[in-house]
Amino acid sequence: MRASYNWLRELSGVDAPADEIADKLTGAGLEVEGVERLGEGLEGVVVAEVRGVRPHPHRDRLRLVRVFDGAGEHEVVCGAPNVPDAGGRVLLARLGATLPGGLEIAERDLGGVVSRGMLCSEVELGIGADAAGIVVLGPHDAGAPGDAATDALRLRDVVFEIGLTPNRPDCLGHVGLARELALLYGRTLVLPAAQAPAALVEEGDALLAAGPARFALPLAAPPAGRVGPRVEAVRPAARGPAVEVEIRDAERCPRYGAALVLGVTSGPSPLWVRYRLHCLGIRAISNLVDATNLVLMERGHPIHGFDLDKVRGRKIVVRAAADGERMATLDDVERTLTADDLLICDGEGPVAVAGVMGGADSEMGEGTRDVLIECAYFDPRSVRRTSRRLGLHTEASHRFERGVDPSAVRAVLARAATLLAELGGGAVVPDGLDVVARSIEAPSVVLCHARMARLLGVEVPPAFTRRVLEGIGCEVLDDAAAAIEVRVPSHRPDLAMEADLIEEVARIYGYDRVPTAVPRVRPSKDGTPVSIRFDRRLREAAAAGAGLTEAITYAFVAPGALEAARVSTQAVPLHNPLSEERSVMRTSLLPGLLEAAAVTRRREPVSVQLFELGTVFAPGDGALPIERPMFAWLLAGPRPGWIGTDGALDFYDGKGRLEGTLRALGAFTPELRLDPAIEQLAPFLHPRRAARIALGGRDLGVLGEVHPDVCGALGLDARAVYGELDVAGLEAATRALGVAQARALPRYPAAVRDIAMVVREGHAVGEIMDALRDAGGALVERIELFDRYQGEHVPDGHVSLAFHVVYRDPQATLTDKRVDAAHAKLGATAEARFEARLRA
Amino acid sequence: MTRPDAPEEGGAGEAARELRDGLAKIGAEFRASLAEASDEPSLRERNARWVGPGGALTRLMKLMPKVPSGERRDLGKQINALKTEVNEAFEHALVALERAAREAELAATPLDVTLPGRDVRAGRLHPITRVRYELLDIFGALGFDVADGPEIDLHENCFDKLGFPADHPATDMQDTFYITREELGASATTLLRTHTSTIQIREMLRREPPLAIVAPGAVYRRDDDATHSPMFFQIEGFLVDEDVSFSELKGVLTLFARRLFDAEVSLRFRPSYFPFVEPGGEVDVSCVFCRAWERDAARTAACGVCKGTGWIEILGCGMIHPTVFRNVGYDAERYTGFAFGMGLDRIAMLKYGVPNIRLLYENDVRFLSGF
Ligand SMILES: [Zn+2]
């Protein structure tokens, strides 16, 4: 909401600096997000009177205009098509002025004639959107030749950009903001008395019982006397039949008011109107349309003007649309409606989508003579549904869906009729219509002072409380020592219970004045679930124990990415995604991590060593999909060495990260199993370079090189290694392992023997080591592979392996004889089980 | 290898002479020879020439059996004495060599200490995670438990129970990703949670007061522009007990902010609107970039982060709305409570000076390694 400082000052009577007002509003919950100062750069612009116009000697499209600027006459060259005749007033930028756009006005030779100044358009002065011609002042506009434009025409303002929360529809107009301002400055808001058609016919609540109301009132003869300044009432009888209003849907249209202004002439608005609208970010269109917009911005209540001649049958019917009914809205779009939409119709068909947008057919235009002004209260939820369904968010729907003031209908109509007549030169028919099909009662609420003190932690004086409640418009029903009862104002649909009033008092009192107290937090009996603590342990283990860096990728991905990554495509789709790229929930962390690696490596081919702990999603049978936390890691690119790199990251790096993470979690080692079914289980992995991961006998994940086709499809230039673990399973395995227990250090020395052998490729080293350990029996403390070699001196298809075998008897010092005997069994086993050829 | 002894008679005098001459020769030569050695291998090699298995002294000793028995004792003594002398000289030379080597090393070209260290290369946690744990630690120390909840939740938990009116523009404050169609009706509608306040509802439905809980997690909104990411992270905090006041909300948040930024920051509470709290507000913290609490007006005026205001908005908060209590079955007359929520992304950006939210989700390793 853009708000004019000048206007707020006029309405509220508060005369304070703009910055102070901005701070006050922000402090009261009406956040001023921006302050824009208008009218700078207009210092050298004055009102000037045209004294004569003659053609340019050399240029057809230019004219020489003699103007009087209060001090003397100057001749300026002007190309605008709308230079007025002698006596017309224009705006002259004098020599030496610098316009808001940065243009410096100096003597300029234009086609051989020196121009001493410039006649300006709205756009050149930054005071409007009209660039077609220069500003020509009309009879409504003040200013004598030589007057500074900023002063004479008040072309200086400060605009507040206010970020309104949706609970404050009352502040969507300047009157509401002025009410707040008056309260904040301890004043009483006094709005100028409405200059209005004197008699509006009240229709009783009997209509409520009768259901949808049908109503026809002749527009009666005007009472004696003038209604407002420069407004004449006319007898409608002279111009034809009466106008009839019928509400058929009291639920969605509780109240509908109408007024008539006859005999208007469409034309441009005076400069003050155009400037005010410009400040508020609204384009000036014509006096008739501008009048309705100005009332909107003043009262925050949308009104609509129909060209009465185009209202067929001189009849307004408010009814639900038929399913599939069509109408063209003002924006020239043919809309298809449903039975949940409310229409304003004339005698033959729809003329407006109620509360959202008017129709093209009944729009006010250049030839409009008589105007029917609509001011209604529509059900906020209904307007919102229609507005959303049509994708039409308008100034009107924005206000109606938040809730306008139902009891303001007459005042707003009166104001609109008066202004329209004033700007359009017409006359108001004093008898309007105010059809009430359903009355909307503002509730009464009790505020208990003690309860407020308990909730806020501060005692607010009851007198202050009363002043605030009255200041926002409440009517005090009962003011006792312990509590105050009020009827909330109809312009505050957000106030319905005590808490609402406490907030009102607190925000005006000032949150900053509420003292700060040391909190007391009583422990709850449940505490933090173990799983949440485990998440943290796991992340820290991956970073500190395995040197992995954490990624956080989007939980929604492209369906194509799931397919390309060869992970499950049984995904949970979004109903309203932002784009195809993020339209389903991920079923695996692989696509996101691969993308992260690819993005980085496209920029710079660095080493990527990432992990992520995130949720994957799958459709479920219950109300909600299945969410499963997963831990995954991905390596790609060079393996960092001490100086330079040390080859490319491979499977064993991936395995090392797994081991490092697990070691940091609880000193246990994973079992990696080659599984012939890996292609079905994890088709995203290389079929010959992948394994299942088990812990404590339970399958918890997979590890392997990413299938080269997957890397290719997802744009990664390098080989990648990927592993994933089910977090819940990992947590259970960790828990089953328990806390690592201290072990006494051995008291007797170990004896180390080496065994070296050549075996055929294909025997898993792990199996050989297991067999050797079994063969050695209890004396074998551990076996370490210390060399693995293929190449010269080793036959093709074979591999040379060398192990340290550490023997120890925890109870005694080992003798050579015992060790030799055990070691011999190892050799024999290797030869027998693996056809190993032992090497000396 | 032993050879058969030569006959004792006939060559005895000769052997004794040869031995005596040999000893004299060795005695005259070994010192110079050992002294000439310039390194340990050559020293050992030279030493072996005298006392090694094939050395001169060893060879001489083999003559002993041929020496007349009357002279053996005397010659034996001499041999042993010489052997001791050689050994001592060798040890001495060895020590001298070691010292010379150490002195040479101490005087050698210094190491290039600018070569890279051999790094253990620990990984880094994501800045959002770092902030998350920092916040959990701070609130943990204040007595708050941690909770979590599903990322896809019911419309009910995300909006209805929190008191968002149906068809009200308040729901526009949080543009929502739906999973199932809205038209199915609110009870069956599922969505990506737009805030972690869903956890407030879930925990309150599950547990009884007193409650003090913080709940971090991913949340989702249909915004994707320079300052918004469609997925981001929030932390929700709430406390429910008897007689909890707005004053205490201010107290908790003030303590929190001072610990988080490790500075005497002030907080500014402004009224604002969230359907589930009342009174509700937003909180600004004094700008940590221009250290606004030090009141250096020029520095603050030039600050691009707070745009010269000295304040940065960090969170929303308020007293839990009585409607929320009723919706979860709490006695709104007996209990009061406060709730607050903030963006972990925003805190991370403030804390680490991250200029653009996109950096947080792009996962460029070079960015992530910087924390
Ligand atoms: Zn700052």
Side-chain angles (χ1 to χ4, degrees), chain A residues 478-499:
Chain A
D478 184 29
D479 190 359
I484 181 169
E485 182 178 10
V486 298
R487 180 166 310 284
V488 303
S490 56
H491 57 259
R492 291 296 302 270
D494 57 317
L495 306 181
M497 59 170 82
E498 185 182 43

Side-chain angles (χ1 to χ4, degrees), chain B residues 286-292 299-300 302-312:
Chain B
S286 25
C287 179
V288 288
F289 290 87
C290 58
R291 302 181 67 79
R299 193 170 59 199
T300 293
C303 179
V305 177
C306 64
K307 300 190 176 63
T309 62
W311 297 104
I312 298 174

Side-chain angles (χ1 to χ4, degrees), chain A residues 390-715:
Chain A
L390 298 180
L392 260 180
H393 185 91
T394 61
E395 293 282 351
S397 70
H398 186 79
R399 287 167 174 81
F400 280 122
E401 69 180 25
R402 282 162 175 73
V404 298
D405 181 356
S407 62
V409 164
R410 291 179 187 203
V412 174
L413 264 184
R415 172 68 176 140
T418 309
L419 189 66
L420 203 86
E422 182 186 330
L423 297 182
V428 178
V429 174
D431 260 355
L433 289 172
D434 180 16
V435 184
V436 179
R438 175 163 71 91
S439 71
I440 293 168
E441 297 293 334
S444 68
V445 180
V446 175
L447 189 161
C448 161
H449 296 299
R451 206 152 36 211
M452 178 160 75
R454 221 170 49 139
L455 189 73
L456 295 180
V458 66
E459 284 190 27
V460 179
F464 183 91
T465 300
R466 180 179 176 134
R467 192 172 74 68
V468 171
L469 296 179
E470 285 180 329
I472 61 173
C474 290
E475 178 196 348
V476 175
L477 302 175
D478 184 29
D479 190 359
I484 181 169
E485 182 178 10
V486 298
R487 180 166 310 284
V488 303
S490 56
H491 57 259
R492 291 296 302 270
D494 57 317
L495 306 181
M497 59 170 82
E498 185 182 43
D500 301 329
L501 297 188
I502 292 175
E503 181 175 67
E504 291 302 299
V505 175
R507 76 183 175 87
I508 302 299
Y509 183 81
Y511 285 4
D512 278 336
R513 285 172 64 199
V514 175
T516 298
V518 177
R520 76 206 141 80
V521 180
R522 282 205 281 161
S524 73
K525 61 183 192 319
D526 306 75
T528 298
V530 177
S531 62
I532 292 178
R533 297 204 302 265
F534 183 74
D535 276 8
R536 181 167 185 169
R537 279 180 65 197
L538 180 53
R539 281 197 178 91
E540 283 169 352
L548 295 166
T549 289
E550 188 186 16
I552 295 180
T553 66
Y554 281 138
F556 21 51
V557 295
L562 295 178
E563 212 165 300
R566 299 192 181 176
V567 296
S568 168
T569 52
Q570 299 294 303
V572 177
L574 296 185
H575 176 57
N576 56 342
L578 275 172
S579 67
E580 172 78 5
E581 285 304 295
R582 293 175 193 149
S583 60
V584 300
M585 301 309 287
R586 64 186 170 198
T587 58
S588 160
L589 300 180
L590 176 62
L593 286 174
L594 272 178
E595 194 197 326
V599 162
T600 301
R601 287 189 52 87
R602 268 199 292 276
R603 294 170 181 172
E604 198 177 334
V606 294
S607 177
V608 174
Q609 305 186 46
L610 292 175
F611 83 91
E612 180 166 16
L613 200 170
T615 309
V616 300
F617 302 81
D621 297 332
L624 294 174
I626 298 162
E627 295 186 19
R628 197 155 69 105
M630 292 293 289
F631 171 75
W633 64 106
L634 182 116
L635 311 177
R639 178 189 303 117
W642 175 43
I643 292 173
T645 57
D646 180 16
L649 291 162
D650 64 16
F651 179 89
Y652 299 105
D653 293 288
K655 183 177 175 185
R657 299 306 184 276
L658 169 66
E659 290 165 339
T661 305
L662 296 179
R663 203 179 304 122
L665 278 178
F668 58 114
T669 46
E671 306 142 35
L672 255 55
R673 262 205 335 270
L674 282 176
D675 195 328
I678 199 80
E679 278 179 84
Q680 284 79 51
L681 183 74
F684 47 86
L685 295 180
H686 190 299
R688 294 288 178 269
R689 296 162 183 259
R692 274 191 204 233
I693 304 168
L695 284 175
R698 284 208 294 171
D699 279 329
L700 289 183
V702 293
L703 165 69
E705 278 186 19
V706 180
H707 198 292
D709 291 350
V710 171
C711 284
L714 286 163

